[in-house]
Amino acid sequence: MNNWKKLKLFLRLSWKTVPSYIVLLLVHTLVSGAQVALNVVLPKFLIDELTGGCEVRGLLFFGGLVVGSNLFFAWMERFMKRRMDVQHTYVSQKMEQLLGEKVMSLPYARLEDPYYLDLKERAAFAFLNQEAMLNLITGLAALLQKGSTLFGLTVILLTLSPVLAAVLLVLVGVMVLLQKRLSVELQKIHEMILPINRRYGYYVTLAFSDAIQKDIRLYNMAGMLGDRIDWYNQDMTNTFDTFRRQEGFYMGLYNVINDLQAAISYGYVGLRVVTDWFGRRIGLGSFTMYVNAAVQFSANITEFGQRIVDLQKLLGYLDPFMELMELPEETEVLEGVPFTGPVESIVFEKVDFAYPGSEKKVLDQVSFSVKKGEKIAVVGLNGAGKTTLIKLLCRLYQPCGGRILVNGQDIMSYDYASYMAQLAAVFQDYRLFAFTIEENISCRETGQDRNKVEKLAAQVGLSEKIKELPEGLRTLLGKAYDEEGTELSGGQQQKVAIARALYKDASLIILDEPTSALDPLAEAEIYENFNDLAGGKTAFYISHRMSSSVFCDKILVIEDGRVADFASHEELMKKEDGLYRRMFQAQAGNYV
Ligand code: ADP
């Protein structure tokens, strides 16, 4: 993506996210631009009055205008600065929120693809470490301000001498070329730094992560992680060192030209006062104005150049962010007919699947069909493809071949939201949130059906625990954000997750190893009651505890991505050397 395109996308995003802040910035820009121009022009009239007519009224008027306008601008400046400072934090956070919202609306398949995982990390890194977004917005505003000031100053200089203005502009051209060279170098450095930065970001984020802290302590890995961070840090410092040297060279040259510009301006304007070589002599007032204009011109042009380099750098940092924000969202790619439910039938028709970027077929010609209300156990060895099959049914991925029909229609043809509304699932890596238990079960902040929550909590065996809690169902989960919060055991958390799946009025319910953390008694209770709990819903269970499949209508045996069998427990137990019977007996054997 070129810089213009990136800039355009960025402006569109900023406008969409924080329009009031952008307006504020623009007004601020114009006000400070006007201030510079006024301070260049007004003193001329004051000095002309002093050296010419010297009338008290005129002096008071222009003196008052200089002081008054500066007072006004100073007040404006403070007022706007305060407003902007207040909004800065808001803008930063809003941008982070934008990133979060984007990630939540991406097609799920992207999020398991290593390339996009990495992209996401990099996008977040630019945010958190460089405040790149905010700096980009303020940098752009400053650039605009410098640009408009420069325009005003050029107009003033043109009234003195178009030749002087032209010479100054040529010198500006040379300076811009120098800046461009420098930014090409910067781009090269940036490309070198990116992979280092990514690795550095990965290890730093890792050091912060809660998930690794147990392993870090048990295997004493803090030193190793620290070394790795140091290592990449050093690498980055060295790379930047090279760049700084180049920068020194270019900036030196830049400053020489800048000084040359000032010398030419002073010299020329001075000569216009003392000689008439280049035209009519000018007075002291005009001298002040033009010298001021030329000095301001030099100062502003330097900053202008600096800002351009900064912006290019920031745009570079934002590359991954832009790439992420441009990805199509789930709703954009998946529009279709509304699914009115309930689920009446599910048919897998020769479904093939391989994960993106992999050749290996994880599902191979999978065909089976399920009727409304049936309870299906999905059984197979580790890595057979059970979870993948469920992910396809949940539209987290699309089949590579074949179709999945629900109520006779390909699931991909249904409108995404209405299809998802009919599905509830507890995955192995389900997550509860730092909300109250009630909110975690109902997934709603307000308007929950309290009786239903209570009933479900009791059915999954959480009543005892909830009675112990000071706020009952309204107790916050997790101590991280609230001292009053509570930590549940793994098994209790699973019960909450199961209650959540049951609360959702979905006609298809899927439990992927939902009971692995439950103690045997709780597990037996959940399974025995599950048909009651699930009521008339169609259900899939994946479990390694074979005893659970006894309660199911049918068992889908998956072996190496293929359907090995699909029948009831009794029928499958009759198959002497069937995988199911072997698995069942192997586990039962442990208990005998
Ligand atoms: P099961 O649930 O039967 O244990 P899975 O469906 O989780 O098996 O996995 C089937 C195969 O697909 C395994 O070989 C696993 O390594 C692979 N796999 C699972 N998830 C991914 C993924 N996100 N990307 C690539 N391969 C995956």
Side-chain angles (χ1 to χ4, degrees), residues 110-159:
R110 295 248 192 238
L111 304 179
E112 284 194 357
D113 179 337
Y115 176 79
Y116 289 98
L117 278 177
D118 186 51
L119 183 71
K120 199 179 72 172
E121 291 288 330
R122 286 187 289 139
F125 185 72
F127 252 96
L128 304 176
N129 292 276
Q130 324 280 352
E131 288 230 311
M133 300 294 280
L134 195 59
N135 289 337
L136 192 59
I137 299 187
T138 46
L140 272 174
L143 193 68
L144 201 67
Q145 186 220 326
K146 298 289 160 222
S148 61
T149 308
L150 283 173
F151 176 76
L153 295 171
T154 310
V155 171
I156 296 175
L157 288 172
L158 273 175
T159 63

Side-chain angles (χ1 to χ4, degrees), residues 178-189:
L178 280 178
Q179 291 283 10
K180 229 180 143 60
R181 278 304 314 238
L182 188 60
S183 73
V184 170
E185 297 299 334
L186 185 66
Q187 191 66 33
K188 278 193 220 149
I189 292 290

Side-chain angles (χ1 to χ4, degrees), residues 400-449:
C400 303
R403 298 190 300 169
I404 303 171
L405 308 172
V406 167
N407 297 1
Q409 271 208 50
D410 192 326
I411 57 170
M412 297 314 291
S413 69
Y414 289 123
D415 159 67
Y416 183 73
S418 60
Y419 180 70
M420 292 310 262
Q422 288 298 324
L423 255 63
V426 183
F427 288 104
Q428 290 167 37
D429 54 355
Y430 72 88
R431 279 278 178 276
L432 300 182
F433 305 97
F435 297 137
T436 64
I437 299 178
E438 184 174 45
E439 285 166 341
N440 267 291
I441 292 179
S442 64
C443 296
R444 300 181 68 149
E445 273 174 304
T446 52
Q448 345 22 18
D449 181 344

Side-chain angles (χ1 to χ4, degrees), residues 112 355 360 362 381-389 391 397 428:
E112 284 194 357
Y355 279 98
K360 188 179 164 251
V362 175
L381 303 178
N382 283 331
K386 304 178 295 291
T387 301
T388 306
L389 185 140
K391 283 187 194 163
Y397 285 93
Q428 290 167 37

Side-chain angles (χ1 to χ4, degrees), residues 484-497:
E484 301 284 294
T486 183
E487 297 288 356
L488 296 181
S489 72
Q492 289 160 342
Q493 288 180 33
Q494 262 181 350
K495 289 175 178 174
V496 174

Side-chain angles (χ1 to χ4, degrees), residues 249-431:
F249 171 73
Y250 284 108
M251 288 321 282
L253 217 62
Y254 190 93
N255 286 336
V256 169
I257 298 179
N258 201 15
D259 290 342
L260 186 67
Q261 218 176 40
I264 292 176
S265 311
Y266 268 105
Y268 179 82
V269 181
L271 284 177
R272 285 295 299 263
V273 178
V274 294
T275 72
D276 48 14
W277 300 348
F278 301 103
R280 209 166 48 81
R281 288 189 189 203
I282 55 172
L284 220 50
S286 301
F287 172 79
T288 313
M289 177 174 82
Y290 289 124
V291 161
N292 240 338
V295 169
Q296 287 285 351
F297 191 83
S298 290
N300 276 280
I301 203 83
T302 312
E303 271 191 59
F304 189 75
Q306 194 56 52
R307 291 285 179 187
I308 292 189
V309 175
D310 284 350
L311 280 187
Q312 270 166 341
K313 192 167 65 186
L314 287 172
L315 279 175
Y317 283 144
L318 281 181
D319 263 348
F321 174 74
M322 299 293 184
E323 191 180 336
L324 191 77
M325 291 313 279
E326 280 235 297
L327 293 179
E329 298 185 2
E330 193 87 66
T331 44
E332 289 170 38
V333 276
L334 306 169
E335 272 172 13
V337 290
F339 181 63
T340 44
V343 172
E344 302 280 351
S345 66
I346 299 168
V347 178
F348 271 60
E349 248 183 31
K350 298 193 173 155
V351 171
D352 284 332
F353 182 74
Y355 279 98
S358 150
E359 297 280 300
K360 188 179 164 251
K361 262 195 182 178
V362 175
L363 294 181
D364 187 2
Q365 299 280 301
V366 169
S367 298
F368 64 92
S369 54
V370 172
K371 286 197 292 286
K372 182 181 179 183
E374 281 187 321
K375 313 280 182 269
I376 310 294
V378 187
V379 167
L381 303 178
N382 283 331
K386 304 178 295 291
T387 301
T388 306
L389 185 140
I390 296 303
K391 283 187 194 163
L392 293 190
L393 185 58
C394 293
R395 270 176 67 167
L396 299 177
Y397 285 93
Q398 281 192 43
C400 303
R403 298 190 300 169
I404 303 171
L405 308 172
V406 167
N407 297 1
Q409 271 208 50
D410 192 326
I411 57 170
M412 297 314 291
S413 69
Y414 289 123
D415 159 67
Y416 183 73
S418 60
Y419 180 70
M420 292 310 262
Q422 288 298 324
L423 255 63
V426 183
F427 288 104
Q428 290 167 37
D429 54 355
Y430 72 88
R431 279 278 178 276

